Amino acid sequence: MEKALWYLIAGTRGGENRARIVRLIDERPRNANQLADELGVDYNTVRHHLDKLAEHDVVETGGDEYGKLYFLTDRFEHNRETFEEITKHL
């Protein structure tokens, strides 16, 4: 997970937006549309970032397909310190 976080947050152009998404989901679960509105980012861009975060087990979904909510995974929670360390360098 540590390598995945470094790649997702610090190793790619979208890392800063991914970190912002993680922080918003940490406050409370949100759906992709809510995240797009709050971040001022295109919906499809948010969906791309959410797909990458889900692929690397940072977020998971709950609810039905329409309006499904995103949550942080337990695996991410066990690696939160790494995330915090990475975001210090953004």
Side-chain angles (χ1 to χ4, degrees):
M1 170 64 82
E2 185 173 335
K3 288 179 185 178
L5 287 172
W6 275 102
Y7 167 74
L8 289 167
I9 306 300
T12 60
R13 278 188 349 185
E16 194 168 320
N17 278 333
R18 290 184 187 133
R20 293 170 61 204
I21 288 170
V22 168
R23 294 227 184 268
L24 285 175
I25 294 172
D26 188 36
E27 290 175 8
R28 68 175 169 79
R30 290 171 164 84
N31 65 36
N33 193 49
Q34 291 168 324
L35 290 164
D37 287 346
E38 291 185 45
L39 294 170
V41 175
D42 183 72
Y43 174 83
N44 289 328
T45 301
V46 169
R47 287 296 319 219
H48 168 76
H49 291 312
L50 288 168
D51 288 345
K52 289 296 180 189
L53 291 168
E55 182 181 312
H56 289 89
D57 202 26
V58 175
V59 299
E60 59 190 353
T61 61
D64 59 15
E65 190 63 30
Y66 179 77
K68 65 183 169 186
L69 296 177
Y70 288 85
F71 302 84
L72 297 177
T73 64
D74 290 341
R75 188 169 176 216
F76 171 82
E77 293 295 347
H78 291 3
N79 291 276
R80 180 179 288 278
E81 283 185 29
T82 301
F83 174 77
E84 297 300 338
E85 182 62 31
I86 294 167
T87 57
K88 287 180 187 176
H89 301 286
L90 295 180

